[in-house]
Amino acid sequence: MSNALFGELPLKQGSIVRTCVYSPDGNTVAVGLFNFNVYVYSTSDWETLWTLKGHSAFVTGIVYSPDGKQIASSSFDNTVRIWNVLRGVCLHVLNGFDDKVQNVVFSPQGNQLASACRDKKVKLWDVESGECRHIWISHTDYVWQVAYSPKGNQIVSYSGDSTLRLWSIETNRCHVLRGHDESIQSVAYSPQGDQLTSASDDTTVRVWDASTAECRYILTGHTGTVVSVMYSPNGNQIASSSGDCTTRLWDTGTGVCLHVLQGHTNRVQKVVYSPQGDMVVSASHDSTIRLWDTATGVCIQTLTGHSGRVLSVDLSPQGDKIVSGSDDKTVRLWDVRAGTTIRPIPNGHSSSVWAVKCSPRGDVVATCSRDNTVRVWDIQTGVCHQTLRGHTREVNCVEFLPQGDQVATGSNDGTVRLWSMDTGACTHTLVGHSDWVSDVVYSPQGDQVASASYDYTVKLWVVASGECRRTLSGHTGAVYGAMYSPSGKQIVSRSHDNTVRIWDVETGECNYTLRSYGRFNKFEYSPQDNQIAATNDDATVRVWDVGTGECHHIFIGHNVGVWSVAYSPKGGQIASGGQDGSVRIWDTIAMTCLLTLSGHSGIVNRIVYSHRGDLVVSASNDKSVRIWDVTTGQCRAVIQDFLDRVIDIAWIESSGVNYLVAGCADGVVGMWQVLVGEDHCNVSLTWRTTNGELDMKDATIEDVQGLSQLNRKLLKQRGAVGEPADRLRGVSKKVTTMVSVVSQLKVKAPSDMTGEGSSMRSSGMVKELEDKFEQNFQAAKESMEQQFQQARDAFFEDVTVIVAKNMHG
């Protein structure tokens, strides 16, 4: 799903936006301001249709009549006004209030209005005449809000007295709903009208029976005031937002919390469902709006642009537009184009992702992992085209050939492998290192590949033949990084011996040895090929002249070790990230620190510039990625959709669109589209993988297809088929990953795992592997892990596991 800011309403009076709402047909939007006025805009051209003047204090609420022809507004001037939308005139001024009016709502039939007031009264009004039909007096404190039941035969009101009251319009009978310990903040009826839900300062959500007034569930989990509640259109879910910065989705049938939506950094003021119920929109005091997938709980988009608290948000009836109001005195209009939704991609890496690399053509991304594999992902769809298997230990690095038709990988098994991107086959296994291979890099011409190793050497290999052309020896410690110069004439290597060496590719001679007082963590060539920037454990960034080997400058500013560095593609600027969580921008001409970018609370593992050099992106151990403006230092966007530290990122430009790919320590890979404008930076999740560890809570596996009857019976005995399963009983976490898959996921067991009379081969094989793990763990660890991974991946291709409810990744 993509989004774009397509308008900012011209609020000429420049006032805080209290509320904004779409008309039932989506043709107009009404906005209430602190400047006492109501503005009505046409959604076809966003021109002002009417400025509704008359209130003498700020407007607290706006509501359209069901037919969209009228608007009712409540105000702190102790009145309610009814307006004709077509003519922009005030039809009635409803007086008789003894205090500020908090809220007003039309009946479903549109012939009545109910109002909530600080005078502790609920009033019922006739819309046509503007006369008060009834006054209910029962609350002992301010009445904050009223709502009609879907049938229109009942009104609920809530108050600062911590109670809700149900009023029968026909009999005037009142039910008092007690249970909350503190003031109530929000209330909502279910679409069917049989339930209502209340949110309170006491951090709970309560679900009530609308007929008996009995409390059916008390939903606990929030740690702050619950500000807003809403039912999904089908009534199966409740969304609640809180001052604890989270939104929670609840099952209305069981009261179970389905998802905790985390990402906002301040109070979540309001939450609304899309008309289809597949998305929840949350508005927060952190100045952002977030869009969430209700099935997975994943954040689909983060809408940034407001500079103040977002106080109100609404979706168009079609669900394709969002309007938001803020105390930054703006209303913003967002386009949410349907068709591209978040796609959780199953069967991703099962362990930490160490590196993310984009192909030169920008069509695929390669990731390498601790799970001994390399995976190649389609940028547009997130589909895994190829899984490159062959390494027997974790894969530390991956690099594309400049022409894009080959990748090189290096592993802890001491080998380098070259793979064809057309077939996925390993074309060469380069054997020669006696210890881990920490890095691989192609020459700019693509005829050589260099590998760095913990055996203290760098080796140069001929790509066409796989032969070792030269071994560069001289380091006295493990070599954990190598890089060709842009011209391809030099190679730079960094080592645990606290040196960086510059080698002549043609002769193999070491031209210069660059020394420091701490370990070099990262280095980068300047675009002009005349400098190297290197970060160090001694909290410095050093710039070296590659022609003389002299240290040109030492940048000092970080408090502790510096872990990442990148040159701007424009030149003249360096970005560095440190253990202190800061990102610093340095001027390589004036030799000064231009900006210190603060926001991360953990080590900054990786920094990349956008292709234009106007943005810097940082990945951190604090489980976030931040996008920074290198001119102003402003943090333009924060991605917090990670469950573990973010290890590597890549900035990609494909067909004129910017993308950001991130690899995480939990094995997850995700890609976000980045839309940048002068006053906004919108980041939307395009796809992400899962790591195979799926939570089976509240899920029931109904059937398994593709296994023999014996295998199916075994799974049933273990609580997998026909039974609710939190985790499969009697089996380990590793086995759980083999059957914990979402609805309709297709898998392939080896031929001897399926078919009648297989004697429980699929589960039996896994059991056998597990027994070997237990009996001879140390000796069999590496080979068994590889066998298990292969068995698991094979199992995930042909067997269909059908669940009653999608499980949560």
Side-chain angles (χ1 to χ4, degrees):
M1 188 173 287
S2 61
N3 67 276
L5 176 69
F6 65 91
E8 182 173 313
L9 298 185
L11 304 181
K12 299 175 183 178
Q13 300 293 327
S15 184
I16 293 173
V17 180
R18 173 77 179 187
T19 182
C20 53
V21 61
Y22 268 97
S23 63
D25 59 9
N27 292 332
T28 61
V29 162
V31 179
L33 303 185
F34 269 61
N35 68 358
F36 315 161
N37 296 334
V38 176
Y39 295 85
V40 181
Y41 296 89
S42 167
T43 57
S44 61
D45 54 13
W46 295 108
E47 293 295 324
T48 306
L49 294 178
W50 309 108
T51 300
L52 309 180
K53 298 182 179 181
H55 285 297
S56 57
F58 75 79
V59 178
T60 57
I62 296 175
V63 63
Y64 276 90
S65 61
D67 60 10
K69 297 179 180 179
Q70 294 175 332
I71 288 173
S73 57
S74 57
S75 170
F76 268 20
D77 65 4
N78 300 2
T79 70
V80 170
R81 288 178 175 258
I82 302 176
W83 312 84
N84 183 295
V85 177
L86 300 178
R87 295 187 289 128
V89 297
C90 181
L91 301 176
H92 299 291
V93 179
L94 311 184
N95 294 301
F97 298 99
D98 298 323
D99 207 333
K100 301 176 178 67
V101 187
Q102 290 291 143
N103 160 254
V104 64
V105 61
F106 276 97
S107 65
Q109 296 77 22
N111 61 333
Q112 293 178 343
L113 274 177
S115 59
C117 183
R118 290 194 179 190
D119 62 9
K120 309 175 188 177
K121 301 171 185 175
V122 175
K123 292 190 175 186
L124 191 63
W125 306 83
D126 182 83
V127 171
E128 185 175 354
S129 65
E131 294 179 357
C132 182
R133 294 300 189 189
H134 197 80
I135 301 176
W136 287 299
I137 304 174
S138 179
H139 284 294
T140 59
D141 203 337
Y142 295 165
V143 182
W144 294 118
Q145 187 180 345
V146 289
Y148 270 94
S149 65
K151 295 180 181 179
N153 61 338
Q154 192 181 67
I155 289 175
V156 64
S157 60
Y158 69 81
S159 165
D161 62 13
S162 304
T163 69
L164 297 100
R165 295 174 190 261
L166 296 180
W167 310 91
S168 171
I169 294 177
E170 296 177 357
T171 66
N172 292 327
R173 184 181 176 185
C174 175
H175 284 292
V176 181
L177 282 57
R178 303 183 189 277
H180 285 297
D181 298 326
E182 297 183 39
S183 182
I184 299 169
Q185 292 290 329
S186 181
V187 69
Y189 271 98
S190 65
Q192 298 78 17
D194 58 332
Q195 288 183 358
L196 58 93
T197 298
S198 57
S200 170
D201 282 345
D202 65 10
T203 74
T204 69
V205 176
R206 287 179 177 255
V207 181
W208 310 83
D209 188 297
S211 299
T212 65
E214 294 179 356
C215 181
R216 297 181 58 181
Y217 304 113
I218 302 175
L219 312 182
T220 60
H222 284 297
T223 58
T225 294
V226 187
V227 183
S228 173
V229 287
M230 186 180 186
Y231 277 89
S232 62
N234 61 10
N236 292 337
Q237 280 187 5
I238 295 169
S240 60
S241 66
S242 171
D244 65 8
C245 308
T246 70
T247 297
R248 288 177 177 257
L249 304 184
W250 312 84
D251 187 296
T252 55
T254 63
V256 171
C257 181
L258 302 174
H259 299 292
V260 181
L261 313 183
Q262 297 177 307
H264 285 298
T265 58
N266 207 330
R267 170 184 173 121
V268 184
Q269 181 65 25
K270 190 172 181 182
V271 61
V272 293
Y273 275 92
S274 65
Q276 298 77 21
D278 58 342
M279 183 175 70
V280 160
V281 179
S282 58
S284 171
H285 285 189
D286 67 5
S287 306
T288 70
I289 298 156
R290 286 180 175 254
L291 282 59
W292 310 84
D293 186 291
T294 57
T296 64
V298 171
C299 181
I300 305 169
Q301 301 178 45
T302 301
L303 310 182
T304 60
H306 282 298
S307 58
R309 299 176 301 168
V310 184
L311 303 177
S312 182
V313 68
D314 196 23
L315 274 159
S316 65
Q318 297 76 25
D320 59 342
K321 302 288 191 300
I322 293 174
V323 59
S324 59
S326 167
D327 62 7
D328 65 5
K329 304 180 181 180
T330 68
V331 171
R332 287 177 176 255
L333 311 166
W334 312 88
D335 183 11
V336 185
R337 301 183 186 94
T340 308
T341 56
I342 169 63
R343 295 180 297 278
I345 309 299
N347 214 14
H349 288 295
S350 59
S351 191
S352 300
V353 176
W354 292 136
V356 176
K357 291 295 170 68
C358 178
S359 70
R361 294 188 289 261
D363 55 341
V364 295
V365 169
T367 56
C368 64
S369 170
R370 193 176 179 181
D371 66 7
N372 305 355
T373 70
V374 175
R375 293 177 185 261
V376 182
W377 311 89
D378 186 284
I379 283 182
Q380 298 299 326
T381 66
V383 171
C384 181
H385 285 322
Q386 295 165 336
T387 300
L388 311 182
R389 293 189 177 90
H391 286 296
T392 58
R393 299 188 68 178
E394 62 187 88
V395 186
N396 297 314
C397 46
V398 60
E399 187 71 39
F400 276 93
L401 185 74
Q403 291 77 20
D405 55 357
Q406 186 184 83
V407 294
T409 58
S411 167
N412 281 3
D413 63 10
T415 68
V416 175
R417 287 178 176 256
L418 306 183
W419 310 82
S420 168
M421 284 293 92
D422 293 330
T423 65
C426 178
T427 58
H428 295 290
T429 301
L430 313 183
V431 179
H433 286 296
S434 58
D435 209 332
W436 298 353
V437 178
S438 56
D439 199 11
V440 290
V441 59
Y442 280 99
S443 65
Q445 297 77 21
D447 58 336
Q448 289 184 0
V449 63
S451 57
S453 172
Y454 273 49
D455 66 5
Y456 302 1
T457 69
V458 175
K459 289 181 179 287
L460 308 185
W461 310 84
V462 179
V463 169
S465 64
E467 296 178 357
C468 182
R469 178 187 175 192
R470 184 169 284 111
T471 299
L472 309 181
S473 302
H475 282 296
T476 58
V479 185
Y480 49 90
M483 178 180 289
Y484 274 93
S485 65
S487 66
K489 296 179 180 180
Q490 293 178 331
I491 284 181
V492 179
S493 59
R494 57 188 170 94
S495 167
H496 277 287
D497 63 11
N498 295 352
T499 69
V500 167
R501 288 178 175 255
I502 303 177
W503 310 84
D504 186 288
V505 172
E506 188 62 33
T507 65
E509 297 293 328
C510 178
N511 292 337
Y512 305 105
T513 301
L514 317 180
R515 304 181 186 276
S516 100
Y517 297 104
R519 185 183 65 174
F520 287 101
N521 292 315
K522 184 72 175 176
F523 52 32
E524 191 85 15
Y525 260 99
S526 66
Q528 296 77 22
D529 203 4
N530 61 341
Q531 291 180 347
I532 295 172
T535 64
N536 203 280
D537 274 348
D538 65 5
T540 67
V541 179
R542 296 169 184 260
V543 179
W544 309 82
D545 188 302
V546 297
T548 64
E550 295 181 356
C551 182
H552 190 51
H553 192 77
I554 301 176
F555 291 112
I556 300 174
H558 288 286
N559 298 324
V560 286
V562 188
W563 280 52
S564 51
V565 68
Y567 267 95
S568 166
K570 298 178 181 179
Q573 194 180 90
I574 292 172
S576 61
Q579 284 180 275
D580 57 9
S582 72
V583 175
R584 290 176 179 261
I585 309 296
W586 311 89
D587 188 315
T588 58
I589 299 173
M591 300 301 173
T592 58
C593 180
L594 299 174
L595 295 168
T596 300
L597 312 179
S598 300
H600 285 299
S601 58
I603 295 171
V604 179
N605 293 313
R606 187 81 162 93
I607 286 180
V608 296
Y609 273 90
S610 63
H611 292 319
R612 294 195 303 169
D614 56 336
L615 300 173
V616 157
V617 186
S618 54
S620 172
N621 278 4
D622 66 5
K623 306 176 187 178
S624 76
V625 170
R626 289 177 176 261
I627 301 176
W628 311 86
D629 188 301
V630 298
T631 302
T632 65
Q634 177 188 2
C635 182
R636 301 295 301 276
V638 183
I639 305 174
Q640 295 176 304
D641 304 328
F642 306 98
L643 300 178
D644 208 333
R645 55 199 170 97
V646 187
I647 295 176
D648 199 12
I649 49 177
W651 184 276
I652 303 166
E653 185 174 330
S654 178
S655 302
V657 181
N658 293 320
Y659 296 98
L660 180 67
V661 181
C664 199
D666 62 4
V668 171
V669 179
M671 189 176 82
W672 288 259
Q673 182 177 336
V674 183
L675 301 175
V676 184
E678 291 184 2
D679 61 349
H680 68 278
C681 179
N682 298 327
V683 180
S684 57
L685 182 61
T686 304
W687 55 264
R688 71 160 8 124
T689 70
T690 63
N691 60 6
E693 291 297 324
L694 297 176
D695 183 7
M696 298 181 66
K697 187 176 181 181
D698 307 321
T700 301
I701 298 180
E702 293 185 329
D703 197 7
V704 179
Q705 298 174 354
L707 293 179
S708 68
Q709 291 298 317
L710 289 174
N711 285 333
R712 186 182 180 281
K713 184 177 292 186
L714 176 63
L715 291 178
K716 186 172 183 179
Q717 290 172 351
R718 299 217 174 169
V721 179
E723 297 286 340
D726 185 8
R727 286 282 186 190
L728 292 186
R729 295 192 292 272
V731 294
S732 77
K733 186 175 181 181
K734 290 188 178 66
V735 181
T736 303
T737 65
M738 297 183 68
V739 291
S740 303
V741 291
V742 295
S743 179
Q744 304 302 316
L745 177 64
K746 288 283 184 184
V747 198
K748 187 165 189 174
S751 58
D752 62 350
M753 278 192 186
T754 59
E756 296 300 324
S758 62
S759 188
M760 307 183 197
R761 292 281 304 185
S762 61
S763 296
M765 178 178 180
V766 177
K767 183 66 169 62
E768 179 182 349
L769 290 177
E770 291 212 308
D771 289 343
K772 290 181 180 179
F773 265 104
E774 296 297 328
Q775 296 168 8
N776 195 11
F777 180 77
Q778 294 299 329
K781 180 179 178 182
E782 292 180 11
S783 62
M784 287 299 100
E785 282 183 344
Q786 184 181 6
Q787 288 181 43
F788 182 86
Q789 178 70 29
Q790 292 171 348
R792 172 183 173 274
D793 289 340
F795 182 91
F796 271 155
E797 287 172 8
D798 252 354
V799 178
T800 301
V801 179
I802 303 174
V803 297
K805 187 183 300 178
N806 278 355
M807 289 172 273
H808 326 308

